[in-house]
């Protein structure tokens, strides 16, 4: 088993609320120096992750086949280069190609379903649920949608 200092983590997600979810995990991720982020390179990212290693990905991604193809290419390039041990995401669409490529390279996949989707699944959640090693929800009601999920409570 690897020591914490040797574990490499990829955080992947859209900017905005999805990035905020991941950033709120700072008490967890700050202990892992070997980490990098994949997200939209927008103003919130430039400010929030200014001291972090960031790979920009293609956007907009919502229901975009073009974005899916471009981000799959980026996932192949970035993940084969970086070889993370773990990929963590809270969505949205950019997580899908990174999770599927991550599965191929043997990374552990952890998905955190967003806080505000209590009764209906997100499209990304539905797509990565079958391959996620750990699927985390923030409400007990979400386990009706994702029965194998782990409810760790609210990140907020």
């Amino acid at each position: 088993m690897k020591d914490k200092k040797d574990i490499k983590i990829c955080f992947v997600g859209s900017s905005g609320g999805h990035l905020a979810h991941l950033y709120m995990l700072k008490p967890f991720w700050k202990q892992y120096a070997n980490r990098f982020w994949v997200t939209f390179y927008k103003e919130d990212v430039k400010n929030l992750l200014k001291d972090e290693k960031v790979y920009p990905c293609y956007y907009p991604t919502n229901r975009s086949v073009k974005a899916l193809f471009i981000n799959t290419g980026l996932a192949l390039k970035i993940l084969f280069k970086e070889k993370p041990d773990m990929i963590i995401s809270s969505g949205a669409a950019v997580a899908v190609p990174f999770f599927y490529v991550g599965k191929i390279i043997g990374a552990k996949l952890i998905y955190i379903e967003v806080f505000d989707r209590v009764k209906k699944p997100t499209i990304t959640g539905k797509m990565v649920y079958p391959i996620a090693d750990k699927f985390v929800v923030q409400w007990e009601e979400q386990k009706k949608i994702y029965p194998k999920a782990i409810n760790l409570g609210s990140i907020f």
Side-chain angles (χ1 to χ4, degrees), residues 91-128:
V94 69
V96 174
F98 279 83
F99 266 48
Y100 278 85
V101 173
K103 193 67 161 180
I104 292 167
I105 67 165
K108 294 294 179 196
L109 308 174
I110 301 171
Y111 187 79
I112 304 163
E113 184 64 295
V114 293
F115 182 80
D116 59 343
R117 293 297 291 269
V118 180
K119 298 192 189 278
K120 289 174 47 177
T122 59
I123 293 171
T124 304
K126 286 193 301 188
M127 293 177 79
V128 302

Side-chain angles (χ1 to χ4, degrees), residues 13-23 90-93 111 114 122:
S14 306
S15 58
H18 295 284
L19 176 63
H21 262 97
L22 294 175
Y23 197 81
S90 63
Y111 187 79
V114 293
T122 59

Side-chain angles (χ1 to χ4, degrees), residues 32-45:
Y32 296 91
N34 202 359
R35 64 181 180 265
F36 64 96
W37 301 74
V38 178
T39 188
F40 308 157
Y41 204 62
K42 293 184 167 185
E43 287 305 313
D44 60 336
V45 172

